[in-house]
């Protein structure tokens, strides 16, 4: 059950696929979800993941959209009878390996004065590129550092999923800085300010074999070179709702009690929930508290049904008038919002 102190916006879902213009006439928008969020000059700015798919070319075939070698859209004509299609997100081999994604994602800006009614840009502000992001860019998290906007995101290609960082001055266009962490790694969230003279980032390696998909933390002198990696928070040390894996959600929020972290936890049935923890203000490698119960679970119809039902996935949050305002993806289909008084969240963490 979600925290009773949490309020979902009555306007949810705030942005749905039908409201988003496809980036090409050959594509259909399947989902607009997992949004990064910033509050800038009285405006709420979201950077949403937009996932698009192409119509099959015939029976038993799939058209897989990718970024081609020239940087433009390319549709791969695939014999889908050779693959396991039980997960709508991917085409799996008989050994359970992801061979293709069923959709291609980019990032799109949406803006609002009241945080509820959004105008969605017609064009992407960040797209995949040949090489390390030919299968798209996913799940951005945004911070404003020294007046510049930064996105950390998953760059996906046939060579794996890595963590890349891009920056932008205006917000309608981001330029890639580089691949911060090579595959397999995702769910990266930058801290919004330096701590102890360094930049910090949460990330989620995906070990194969030994180890678990846990949240790790790293620091950098320049946002390019990352080191001093250490494991921070493991799902297997938590409760059932997060036992399978955890990943950073929104960039940490500075509070008087420490860094407040919203993260996602996944259970053995692939249900995604939102958890909350508190990190030390001066040393973010230390966990001060962690709630045994999830802050938000998929309970409403728009969270339980969609492209991938049963997933609530936070990528952006900020403080506003004593409340934590959180934006999250629901069922890999829509953008939703919720808020909770900061005092109530801290009380749940024993502060
Ligand atoms: C992945 C994530 C998200 C997505 C969830 C649920 O692990 O990268 O993109 O929302 O799965 O499908």
């Amino acid at each position: 059950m979600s925290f009773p102190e949490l309020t979902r916006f009555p306007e949810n879902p705030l942005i749905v696929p039908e409201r988003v213009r496809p980036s090409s006439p050959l594509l259909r928008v399947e989902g607009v979800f997992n949004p990064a969020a910033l509050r800038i000059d009285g405006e709420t700015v979201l950077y949403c993941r937009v996932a698009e798919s192409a119509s099959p070319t015939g029976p038993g075939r799939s058209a897989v959209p990718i970024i081609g070698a020239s940087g433009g859209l390319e549709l791969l004509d695939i014999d889908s009878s050779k693959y396991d299609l039980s997960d709508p997100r991917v085409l799996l081999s008989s050994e359970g390996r992801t061979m293709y994604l069923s959709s291609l994602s980019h990032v799109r800006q949406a803006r609002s004065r009241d945080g509820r009614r959004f105008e969605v840009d017609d064009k992407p502000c960040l797209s995949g590129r040949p090489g390390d992001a030919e299968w798209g860019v996913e799940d951005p998290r945004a911070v404003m550092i020294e007046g510049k906007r930064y996105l950390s995101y998953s760059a996906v290609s046939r060579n794996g999923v890595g963590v890349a960082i891009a920056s932008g001055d205006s917000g309608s266009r981001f330029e890639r800085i580089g691949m911060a962490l090579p595959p397999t790694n995702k769910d990266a969230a930058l801290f919004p300010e330096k701590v102890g003279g360094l930049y910090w980032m949460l990330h989620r390696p995906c070990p194969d074999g030994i180890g678990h998909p846990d949240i790790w933390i790293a620091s950098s002198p320049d946002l390019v070179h990352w080191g001093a990696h250490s494991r921070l928070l493991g799902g297997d040390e938590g409760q059932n709702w997060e036992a399978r894996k955890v990943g950073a959600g929104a960039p940490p929020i500075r509070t008087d009690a420490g860094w407040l972290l919203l993260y996602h936890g996944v259970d053995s049935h692939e249900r995604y929930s939102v958890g909350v923890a508190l990190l030390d203000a001066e040393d973010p490698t230390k966990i001060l508290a962690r709630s045994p119960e999830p802050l938000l679970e998929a309970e409403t119809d728009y969270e339980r049904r969609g492209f991938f039902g049963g997933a609530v996935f936070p990528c952006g949050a900020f403080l506003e008038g004593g409340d934590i305002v959180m934006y999250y993806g629901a069922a890999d289909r829509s953008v939703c919002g919720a808020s909770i008084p900061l005092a109530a969240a801290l009380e749940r963490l024993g502060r």
Side-chain angles (χ1 to χ4, degrees):
M1 210 187 83
S2 306
F3 286 4
E5 302 90 343
L6 179 117
T7 310
R8 289 176 177 84
F9 290 176
E11 297 86 350
N12 280 352
L14 305 176
I15 313 177
V16 292
E18 296 73 32
R19 292 235 352 253
V20 180
R21 181 175 292 195
S23 65
S24 153
L26 301 174
L27 298 176
R28 178 180 61 241
V29 176
E30 294 285 355
V32 47
F33 55 112
N34 300 0
L38 290 173
R39 186 87 185 143
I40 306 171
D41 301 332
E43 210 179 48
T44 302
V45 184
L46 301 182
Y47 293 102
C48 309
R49 170 176 172 191
V50 173
E52 298 175 301
S53 68
S55 301
T57 42
R61 305 208 68 90
S62 292
V64 170
I66 65 161
I67 303 293
S70 61
L73 175 68
E74 193 177 310
L75 299 181
L76 304 178
D77 181 19
I78 306 285
D79 176 356
S80 42
S81 65
K82 292 199 183 128
Y83 300 97
D84 171 355
L85 305 177
S86 57
D87 183 330
R89 301 170 296 179
V90 287
L91 283 74
L92 296 169
S93 71
S94 51
E95 294 85 44
R97 283 180 63 80
T98 298
M99 304 309 285
Y100 300 100
L101 300 183
S102 59
S103 61
L104 176 67
S105 293
H106 65 260
V107 180
R108 196 83 69 97
Q109 178 177 249
R111 298 187 303 166
S112 165
R113 284 263 145 215
D114 64 5
R116 318 272 170 133
R117 287 164 300 167
F118 285 88
E119 289 292 322
V120 185
D121 283 4
D122 279 343
K123 293 201 165 59
C125 60
L126 181 74
S127 299
R129 49 171 235 152
D132 60 23
E134 65 194 3
W135 288 10
V137 292
E138 304 183 352
D139 305 343
R141 278 82 171 179
V143 289
M144 191 84 161
I145 306 177
E146 292 144 16
K148 223 178 160 82
R149 299 171 205 210
Y150 290 89
L151 294 182
S152 53
Y153 58 96
S154 300
V156 193
S157 77
R158 73 185 101 174
N159 299 314
V161 185
V163 167
I165 298 179
S167 70
D169 292 320
S170 74
S172 51
R173 180 108 217 111
F174 283 84
E175 296 300 331
R176 178 182 179 279
I177 294 178
M179 188 70 105
L181 300 170
T184 301
N185 205 314
K186 58 200 298 196
D187 297 324
L190 292 164
F191 283 64
E193 59 188 82
K194 285 183 174 174
V195 182
L198 294 169
Y199 297 103
W200 292 81
M201 178 167 71
L202 301 169
H203 62 94
R204 216 286 302 284
C206 308
D208 193 8
I210 302 170
H212 298 268
D214 298 331
I215 300 175
W216 286 58
I217 186 164
S219 57
S220 166
D222 55 8
L223 288 166
V224 175
H225 303 89
W226 292 92
H229 297 265
S230 67
R231 179 179 172 278
L232 181 69
L233 186 139
D236 56 327
E237 296 153 351
Q239 310 298 314
N240 284 340
W241 60 268
E242 56 184 342
R244 179 137 183 261
K245 53 184 174 183
V246 286
I253 300 172
R254 184 185 264 293
T255 73
D256 289 343
W259 291 103
L260 188 112
L261 170 64
L262 299 179
Y263 65 97
H264 68 261
V266 187
D267 73 5
S268 55
H269 304 289
E270 285 274 314
R271 289 187 82 232
Y272 284 69
S273 305
V274 181
V276 57
L278 195 66
L279 312 179
D280 188 276
E282 306 310 324
D283 179 3
T285 66
K286 269 197 217 145
I287 301 175
L288 300 180
R290 171 177 181 175
S291 166
E293 288 92 34
L295 175 99
L296 173 68
E297 278 193 304
E299 289 158 339
T300 62
D301 199 52
Y302 54 81
E303 293 163 349
R304 290 174 50 220
R305 273 180 263 283
F307 185 71
F308 189 79
V312 284
F313 198 93
C315 287
F318 47 78
L319 284 181
E320 198 177 31
D323 285 340
I324 305 168
V325 177
M326 167 178 87
Y327 290 90
Y328 62 99
D332 286 4
R333 180 173 192 278
S334 63
V335 165
C336 291
S339 71
I340 181 170
L342 172 63
L346 290 176
E347 203 177 314
R348 290 267 175 180
L349 292 163
R351 305 288 136 164

